[in-house]
């Protein structure tokens, strides 16, 4: 499936190079290419695309300000010869940051990131081919990079204000700037269960539970009264060995 994109750079030679790179990918479908950021802005208001490749430093409107001006921006890859803009770009949750001159190899790496993220967004609960339920994976953004986590390795997820902390079976934790509610909606409901307003737990990892807590790989996690009945029904009652 083609990925629709818009290319923006005030240097015509760079823009032509990007168009050539995009054609080589056989994945990107260039819907428009502009040297003027204001024209690009007007186009994006009426014509949504999946990804924007944009220069940072341009007259009238920088690439960063362009992204900020959009209520629903597409995925963004920023490009510049000035690395000091990288941190501000990543604060905007851009997909990648390409330093000029841009090589084909580096451009393709950015395209691969975009394609991987779009697959996750389109089918967040889609299992890997020939995989058993729960053996799929998803990507998160953390520390200015994308990290793949497999459902089976996640123990529990903890809310930390606007962040969530994802704890995995290998003892590591991953912070990502997504709140728990949004994360819960994007993960498979059958695999993860909310046990508390601050905790989302991998149902297959629960070792035991009582009226106050669930235990997951040695961790005692609170079981909120609001969630107790639902958790009991989903985790225990469906697999409980009963007296005949």
């Amino acid at each position: 499936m083609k990925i629709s994109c818009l290319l923006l750079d005030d240097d015509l030679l760079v823009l032509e190079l990007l168009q050539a790179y995009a054609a080589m990918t056989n994945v990107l479908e260039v819907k428009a290419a502009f040297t003027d950021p204001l024209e690009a802005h007007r186009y994006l208001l009426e014509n949504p695309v999946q990804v924007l490749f944009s220069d940072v430093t341009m007259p009238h409107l920088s690439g960063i300000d362009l992204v900020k001006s959009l209520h629903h921006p597409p995925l963004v890859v920023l490009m510049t010869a000035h690395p000091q803009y990288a941190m501000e770009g990543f604060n905007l949750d851009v997909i990648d940051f390409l330093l000029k001159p841009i090589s084909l190899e580096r451009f393709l790496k950015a395209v691969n990131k975009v394609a991987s993220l779009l697959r996750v967004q389109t089918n967040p609960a889609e299992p890997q081919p020939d995989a058993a339920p729960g053996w799929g994976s998803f990507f998160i953004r953390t520390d200015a990079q994308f990290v793949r986590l497999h459902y089976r390795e996640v123990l529990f997820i903890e809310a930390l204000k606007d962040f969530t902390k994802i704890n995995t079976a290998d003892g590591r934790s991953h912070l990502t700037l997504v709140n728990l509610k949004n994360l819960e909606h994007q993960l498979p409901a059958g695999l993860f269960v909310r046990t508390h307003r601050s905790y989302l737990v991998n149902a297959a990892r629960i070792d035991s539970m009582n009226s106050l807590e669930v235990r997951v790989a040695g961790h005692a996690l609170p079981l909120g009264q609001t969630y107790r009945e639902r958790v009991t029904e989903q985790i225990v009652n469906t697999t409980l060995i009963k007296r005949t």
Side-chain angles (χ1 to χ4, degrees):
M1 183 179 294
K2 294 284 188 178
I3 299 172
S4 62
C5 71
L6 184 148
L7 307 177
L8 172 61
D9 198 296
D10 63 329
D11 186 326
L12 184 58
L13 292 178
V14 173
L15 194 62
E16 291 175 348
L17 178 65
L18 293 174
Q19 289 175 302
Y21 282 175
M24 293 178 194
T25 67
N26 201 33
V27 172
L28 294 177
E29 181 180 5
V30 179
K31 293 294 188 180
F34 296 99
T35 56
D36 185 341
L38 295 177
E39 290 183 8
H41 180 266
R42 287 191 289 269
Y43 181 91
L44 288 170
L45 291 179
E46 301 294 333
N47 304 276
V49 296
Q50 292 171 290
V51 58
L52 165 65
F53 290 86
S54 176
D55 188 19
V56 173
T57 53
M58 296 177 289
H60 309 303
L61 188 69
S62 74
I64 290 174
D65 288 337
L66 170 63
V67 176
K68 289 180 178 178
S69 72
L70 299 170
H71 290 298
H72 301 288
L75 301 180
V76 177
V77 176
L78 291 178
M79 308 171 294
T80 186
H82 308 286
Q84 65 267 26
Y85 291 109
M87 185 54 65
E88 185 174 2
F90 282 125
N91 287 339
L92 288 175
D93 207 27
V94 303
I95 300 305
D96 208 344
F97 197 94
L98 304 181
L99 290 178
K100 297 179 179 179
I102 302 168
S103 68
L104 175 59
E105 179 184 5
R106 188 64 184 86
F107 183 82
L108 292 176
K109 186 175 181 180
V111 173
N112 288 338
K113 287 184 179 181
V114 170
S116 295
L117 185 59
L118 285 173
R119 282 195 296 269
V120 173
Q121 290 181 343
T122 304
N123 300 293
E126 182 180 3
Q128 299 299 311
D130 302 322
W135 283 65
S137 63
F138 61 100
F139 279 91
I140 60 168
R141 174 188 282 279
T142 179
D143 296 329
Q145 65 178 333
F146 292 102
V147 176
R148 182 194 293 274
L149 297 176
H150 293 271
Y151 296 132
R152 66 181 183 274
E153 67 182 325
V154 176
L155 296 178
F156 61 93
I157 304 170
E158 181 180 358
L160 298 173
K161 294 186 178 180
D162 293 330
F163 289 81
T164 52
K165 180 180 179 182
I166 302 176
N167 298 274
T168 54
D170 59 7
R172 294 187 298 169
S173 60
H174 306 267
L175 282 177
T176 186
L177 186 56
V178 181
N179 65 43
L180 190 62
K181 182 178 180 180
N182 286 337
L183 191 59
E184 180 182 11
H185 287 164
Q186 296 178 65
L187 291 175
L191 298 179
F192 293 87
V193 59
R194 190 76 168 262
T195 61
H196 185 271
R197 64 181 181 180
S198 298
Y199 288 92
L200 186 64
V201 175
N202 186 333
R205 290 288 189 168
I206 294 177
D207 298 317
S208 64
M209 60 175 288
N210 56 39
S211 61
L212 298 177
E213 66 181 26
V214 297
R215 297 194 67 86
V216 180
H219 300 272
L221 307 177
L223 178 59
Q225 183 176 355
T226 305
Y227 306 94
R228 189 177 303 148
E229 183 177 349
R230 185 191 316 165
V231 173
T232 302
E233 180 63 31
Q234 180 175 338
I235 304 302
V236 179
N237 290 353
T238 55
T239 57
L240 180 64
I241 303 298
K242 302 178 176 66
R243 295 172 62 185
T244 56

